[in-house]
Amino acid sequence: NGFDAAEAERIVDVEIERARAFYGEDAKGAAPLLPILHALQEAFGYVPPGAQPLIAHALNISQAEVRGVVSFY
């Protein structure tokens, strides 16, 4: 699967909304990070490096935090 930035952004948005519905106000920061990464993995077969800045911006966390979690898993 090729990387599609628009599709990645849509997935990030959907997963953030799911996290907000589940966690409520606790969905800030990195709470939705793993569900987002899992959804991207499922959609693309990997977590595209180009999606990582989108995730960081959407969650208001650093790209280093996103990369750290991606590289750990």
Side-chain angles (χ1 to χ4, degrees), residues 25-47:
E25 285 301 308
D26 292 331
K28 294 183 175 98
L33 182 55
L34 283 178
I36 289 170
L37 296 177
H38 290 155
L40 290 168
Q41 173 79 31
E42 186 174 315
F44 296 108
Y46 67 108
V47 177

Side-chain angles (χ1 to χ4, degrees), residues 11-12 15-16 18-19 23 27-42 47 55 59 61 65-73:
I11 291 168
V12 170
E15 292 304 320
I16 288 172
R18 284 184 184 167
Y23 294 111
K28 294 183 175 98
L33 182 55
L34 283 178
I36 289 170
L37 296 177
H38 290 155
L40 290 168
Q41 173 79 31
E42 186 174 315
V47 177
I55 298 166
L59 298 180
I61 60 176
E65 287 178 87
V66 175
R67 275 192 308 274
V69 173
V70 169
S71 67
F72 182 77
Y73 291 99

